Amino acid sequence: MDLLRTIACQQHSRMCEQTLAKSGELRLSRRADPPTPPAAAAPEMSRIITDPSTGKCYCRGKVLGKGGFAKCYEMTDLSTNRVYAAKIIPHTRVAKPHQREKIDREIELHRTLFHRHIVHFYHHFEDKENIYILLEHCSRRSMAHILKARKVLTEPEVRYYLRQIVSGLKCLHEQGILHRDLKLGNFFINESMELKIGDFGLAAKLEPVENRSRTICGTPNYLSPEVLNKQGHGCESDIWAMGCVMYTMLLGRPPFETTNLKETYRCIREARYTMPSSLSSSAKQLIASMLSKHPEDRPTLDDITQHDFLTQGFTPDRLSQSCCHYAPDFHLSSPAKNFFKKAAAALFGGKKDKVKFLDNQNKLGKDDDEIYKLKSDLKKMSLSNQMNNKSPSDEEQRGTNCDKPETAPVKETEQQIRDSIRMIVRGTLGSCSSSSSESLEDSTMGSVADTVARVLKGCLENMPEGDNFPKEQLNCSFQWVTKWVDYSNKYGFGYQLSDHTVGVLFNNGTHMSLLADKKTIHYYAELGQCSIFTATEVPEKFIGQVTILKYFAHYMEENLMEGGDLPASTDAQKPRLCLLQWLKSDRALMMLFSDGTFQVNFYHDHTKIIICNHDDEYLLTYINEDRISTTFRLSTLLMSGCSQNLRARMEYALNMVRQISLRRLE
């Protein structure tokens, strides 16, 4: 009986290990010690702690984190009110000699490190109960907490953090120290959103290959092949872990994560992982080089610093604290932002503005390759009268919640609703426009907005209550917006479709699209009038707008991630999507297209709903916070109902599309 109980306990322990490994929380220590048997309940730790050597008193605050041996608390020096992160290790947890040696080694290594991107070591002391290590307090917690809230990060953010990781790691390696446990939970963020490498519990001095310890230590999802094969840690092992970190930041999951620890280790040994197409080519190249199977094939820290991913794309100088919870909106950032401010004067200003701008561009250096490449186009820029200086006000462009009373709804029969849902909003417009009445017939925008509103309203009023999604789900493709940039304070609203067409709705009401072939441009000045020309033979009067269109395309390609996993339509016969109207509220962005496609992106959790017409039937697609998409027929929702989360989003979307009609009537 005892044997059976022992076997059962061992199996349960293995299951727990696999679960923890999957979540990335299990850390393999230098030696597998059996758990300390439970003893009598330890006395509660005092709130006021005195350093016996100095007499200083500290007040212990809230728990910041937990580790294998220790807990980390906020601790305030009562004489100065300075706040520290205090790692507190009970003597009972390090009673064995090798355990105490581990703590002493961590202290000895960490106290010698002074770098902007390494958690600062201040002081350590001990009393009869505990060992206390006072460290720099990082109020924004760790990258693991940020990614848990954000799911994924944008490429500019990853560049920002990666530069700081490389800087801190270079300081370690130059002093002959290996971290050996680089992961999101060990990158701490301070009040200024600066990254600090911390937790040196597994750190060790770099030894020659023949003298390296063959112990497997670290976090399973971040272990390198040579460590698993017991060849020992080197600087290349930290580079491998950094590749795993970069992949996780961009995609929200470690590259080798599986449901089975043995399978994870097999994938690591074979360097086998998937590389989604949503990543930019330079990001893929850098990740692939850091995750090379053989250590000698991996880049050095200097190589990483010089890689195109870090040198070519936009990197912010600083991040807002809101980035801990929400994706940043970088717009067009310096130096490109300053460049295009001047370009705006040339496009929309007078002759003197144009001459001054072009003279300045003659002095432009090659610091920014993209701007330099566009310089020759801008020299040819002509101030065309077709681009006027009238643009909607900020309030009109961004949108606000509408509190106007609604008229009493007229109840329709179920069959009428079905018929309404199956109605087709045909792409008969032949063109696109915007919120500007100068280049759009109100009746056209009104008919599209009114039809979408009627379909949504009819579905919501007649849809039964439900808790789950309908069982019937579709697998079809259509065009939708995967990326967007609001730069309407200067030029307009840019977006990228799932087929990689890029469009810009300019503030003056004109619309321009660069098709997926990157060679063909469609220009819509007003209803029914479309001009088509190649990107290499641009009519002189369109050079300014084409230049800005190209910049929008380049910016979104380099800096923004795809918005979900929905496949793109490849049907060449489908009408091209052109943006009619966009509207921003404090919660969401709404986009309405010429064929009746209607998309709403919610900021706080990055969910999206898309309504479109496909094969003579209306479909609704919901992209959840994990970027997973689900598509239903609206007629199915009408019969089966849906979850409260989706219903709430549909109701909010209906209120947004109604604003278009209300503004048209004002």
Side-chain angles (χ1 to χ4, degrees):
M1 195 67 171
D2 290 340
L3 179 60
L4 291 175
R5 187 178 294 109
T6 301
I7 293 172
C9 289
Q10 290 173 344
Q11 289 175 339
H12 177 73
S13 177
R14 283 195 294 271
M15 289 173 63
C16 291
E17 181 184 274
Q18 290 179 2
T19 302
L20 287 168
K22 181 179 183 298
S23 67
E25 294 301 320
L26 175 66
R27 184 166 83 170
L28 305 178
S29 59
R30 290 178 57 85
R31 191 176 300 184
D33 294 314
T36 304
E44 184 178 351
M45 191 186 307
S46 172
R47 295 281 293 176
I48 304 300
I49 296 165
T50 303
D51 178 353
S53 60
T54 64
K56 274 195 172 186
C57 293
Y58 301 88
C59 180
R60 179 175 56 84
K62 65 182 180 181
V63 176
L64 299 175
K66 299 177 183 180
F69 288 95
K71 282 185 180 180
C72 193
Y73 295 86
E74 271 189 4
M75 199 136 93
T76 305
D77 184 335
L78 293 177
S79 62
T80 63
N81 284 329
R82 184 164 194 169
V83 179
Y84 299 93
K87 196 170 183 178
I88 303 179
I89 308 118
H91 284 302
T92 55
R93 302 302 304 272
V94 290
K96 297 179 180 179
H98 74 271
Q99 293 172 332
R100 179 61 197 239
E101 287 171 10
K102 178 180 181 297
I103 299 301
D104 290 341
R105 185 176 60 254
E106 176 183 352
I107 292 171
E108 193 59 35
L109 289 176
H110 198 170
R111 70 192 303 173
T112 64
L113 299 172
F114 300 92
H115 192 272
R116 179 178 179 178
H117 297 299
I118 294 175
V119 171
H120 188 67
F121 182 101
Y122 285 102
H123 180 54
H124 81 284
F125 64 91
E126 56 186 283
D127 57 23
K128 293 180 180 180
E129 288 79 31
N130 305 300
I131 301 168
Y132 305 89
I133 303 174
L134 301 187
L135 305 169
E136 179 181 2
H137 180 245
C138 295
S139 62
R140 310 311 296 182
R141 306 184 75 180
S142 74
M143 284 301 307
H145 294 98
I146 292 176
L147 203 70
K148 183 177 180 181
R150 288 281 308 280
K151 311 300 182 186
V152 294
L153 302 183
T154 63
E155 289 198 2
E157 290 174 286
V158 173
R159 275 189 280 272
Y160 171 85
Y161 290 124
L162 202 61
R163 287 179 186 275
Q164 298 179 31
I165 294 171
V166 169
S167 178
L169 194 57
K170 192 170 183 180
C171 170
L172 285 176
H173 288 183
E174 285 175 350
Q175 295 192 46
I177 297 173
L178 302 175
H179 189 280
R180 304 205 304 178
D181 195 23
L182 294 176
K183 60 181 180 180
L184 296 177
N186 287 339
F187 298 134
F188 299 93
I189 309 297
N190 70 6
E191 192 72 13
S192 301
M193 295 298 289
E194 293 178 318
L195 181 145
K196 312 275 184 172
I197 301 174
D199 194 346
F200 292 88
L202 294 181
K205 281 286 187 180
L206 177 63
E207 301 287 349
V209 175
E210 61 275 11
N211 295 338
R212 288 178 186 174
S213 168
R214 309 301 185 212
T215 304
I216 298 177
C217 67
T219 301
N221 278 322
Y222 298 84
L223 296 177
S224 63
E226 64 270 20
V227 171
L228 281 179
N229 293 332
K230 297 188 177 181
Q231 296 167 346
H233 275 86
C235 293
E236 303 84 2
S237 307
D238 281 347
I239 300 292
W240 171 280
M242 197 161 63
C244 295
V245 164
M246 178 180 170
Y247 184 104
T248 307
M249 285 178 174
L250 288 169
L251 295 167
R253 64 184 187 279
F256 304 101
E257 181 182 81
T258 69
T259 57
N260 181 283
L261 194 57
K262 287 185 178 179
E263 179 61 23
T264 295
Y265 287 166
R266 185 179 299 112
C267 291
I268 291 173
R269 287 190 173 97
E270 298 172 4
R272 173 164 48 88
Y273 60 98
T274 59
M275 192 81 84
S277 59
S278 59
L279 296 180
S280 67
S281 58
S282 59
K284 292 178 186 176
Q285 291 165 6
L286 181 54
I287 290 171
S289 65
M290 289 194 284
L291 296 183
S292 295
K293 182 177 178 180
H294 302 292
E296 62 271 17
D297 295 333
R298 293 173 207 151
T300 64
L301 292 172
D302 286 335
D303 293 334
I304 294 170
T305 302
Q306 298 303 316
H307 193 276
D308 284 352
F309 178 77
L310 288 177
T311 60
Q312 298 300 315
F314 164 65
T315 305
D317 294 328
R318 61 182 298 276
L319 291 178
S320 164
Q321 291 180 3
S322 65
C323 294
C324 294
H325 305 284
Y326 307 105
D329 184 4
F330 293 117
H331 295 300
L332 304 179
S333 298
S334 202
K337 186 171 184 178
N338 293 332
F339 174 81
F340 277 93
K341 280 182 180 178
K342 297 172 185 176
L347 282 169
F348 302 111
K351 186 175 181 180
K352 289 183 179 179
D353 292 320
K354 177 188 175 185
V355 171
K356 183 179 178 181
F357 172 72
L358 295 179
D359 285 346
N360 288 338
Q361 295 319 300
N362 289 328
K363 303 172 186 176
L364 181 67
K366 296 189 179 183
D367 295 335
D368 190 310
D369 292 340
E370 180 61 21
I371 294 175
Y372 187 82
K373 189 165 57 178
L374 298 179
K375 186 181 82 168
S376 59
D377 286 340
L378 284 161
K379 281 189 175 180
K380 304 173 190 174
M381 188 173 359
S382 173
L383 292 178
S384 171
N385 290 332
Q386 57 88 25
M387 291 194 68
N388 60 57
N389 198 30
K390 296 180 181 178
S391 63
S393 67
D394 286 345
E395 184 180 351
E396 288 174 337
Q397 292 172 29
R398 299 180 185 280
T400 55
N401 288 325
C402 183
D403 298 323
K404 297 197 174 183
E406 304 289 344
T407 56
V410 179
K411 200 75 171 178
E412 299 177 82
T413 67
E414 183 176 305
Q415 185 57 47
Q416 286 174 325
I417 297 299
R418 280 182 173 275
D419 292 342
S420 294
I421 289 175
R422 292 180 181 276
M423 281 184 60
I424 308 166
V425 178
R426 294 293 187 186
T428 56
L429 306 182
S431 73
C432 168
S433 195
S434 75
S435 56
S436 170
S437 59
E438 298 167 13
S439 57
L440 179 72
E441 295 180 4
D442 284 346
S443 59
T444 301
M445 182 184 296
S447 64
V448 176
D450 290 346
T451 303
V452 172
R454 179 163 49 82
V455 168
L456 257 177
K457 175 173 171 285
C459 188
L460 284 166
E461 287 182 354
N462 293 273
M463 186 169 59
E465 295 292 331
D467 296 324
N468 299 305
F469 290 130
K471 293 181 180 178
E472 181 190 7
Q473 299 176 9
L474 305 177
N475 184 17
C476 58
S477 60
F478 45 83
Q479 292 181 16
W480 62 289
V481 175
T482 59
K483 303 177 182 181
W484 60 271
V485 176
D486 173 12
Y487 203 36
S488 55
N489 62 327
K490 289 293 181 184
Y491 308 110
F493 183 89
Y495 61 93
Q496 179 178 293
L497 296 173
S498 49
D499 67 351
H500 296 285
T501 293
V502 173
V504 175
L505 186 55
F506 290 97
N507 286 345
N508 70 339
T510 59
H511 184 285
M512 190 174 279
S513 295
L514 177 64
L515 303 193
D517 61 8
K518 306 302 179 189
K519 299 176 183 177
T520 309
I521 294 175
H522 287 190
Y523 174 79
Y524 299 95
E526 58 184 61
L527 188 65
Q529 295 184 10
C530 178
S531 301
I532 301 176
F533 46 86
T534 66
T536 56
E537 298 178 357
V538 180
E540 187 176 5
K541 66 179 182 178
F542 296 135
I543 288 176
Q545 284 175 285
V546 169
T547 300
I548 293 175
L549 173 66
K550 287 180 179 178
Y551 183 79
F552 269 103
H554 175 78
Y555 176 82
M556 287 187 281
E557 176 66 26
E558 287 295 314
N559 298 290
L560 304 182
M561 289 189 64
E562 301 286 350
D565 69 343
L566 196 60
S569 172
T570 56
D571 187 352
Q573 302 304 314
K574 289 278 186 182
R576 303 251 174 223
L577 283 193
C578 289
L579 188 63
L580 280 177
Q581 173 90 29
W582 61 276
L583 199 63
K584 288 174 78 174
S585 74
D586 58 345
R587 285 186 55 194
L589 163 73
M590 181 211 75
M591 293 164 284
L592 180 66
F593 289 86
S594 53
D595 72 337
T597 296
F598 175 69
Q599 180 170 332
V600 179
N601 293 10
F602 293 89
Y603 310 139
H604 69 288
D605 58 3
H606 308 294
T607 57
K608 303 167 185 68
I609 61 171
I610 306 157
I611 295 176
C612 70
N613 184 269
H614 184 79
D615 292 339
D616 295 354
E617 179 139 31
Y618 272 110
L619 307 180
L620 184 143
T621 297
Y622 175 54
I623 302 178
N624 68 14
E625 56 269 22
D626 295 320
R627 298 154 54 88
I628 306 300
S629 63
T630 316
T631 301
F632 317 96
R633 293 184 179 88
L634 272 188
S635 56
T636 300
L637 289 180
L638 182 66
M639 301 301 295
S640 305
C642 66
S643 69
Q644 289 302 309
N645 282 340
L646 179 54
R647 178 185 282 271
R649 285 167 176 77
M650 292 171 67
E651 289 171 347
Y652 193 85
L654 174 59
N655 287 332
M656 292 194 78
V657 75
R658 277 174 170 165
Q659 291 182 47
I660 299 175
S661 299
L662 288 169
R663 288 182 178 186
R664 184 167 52 88
L665 295 173
E666 288 175 350

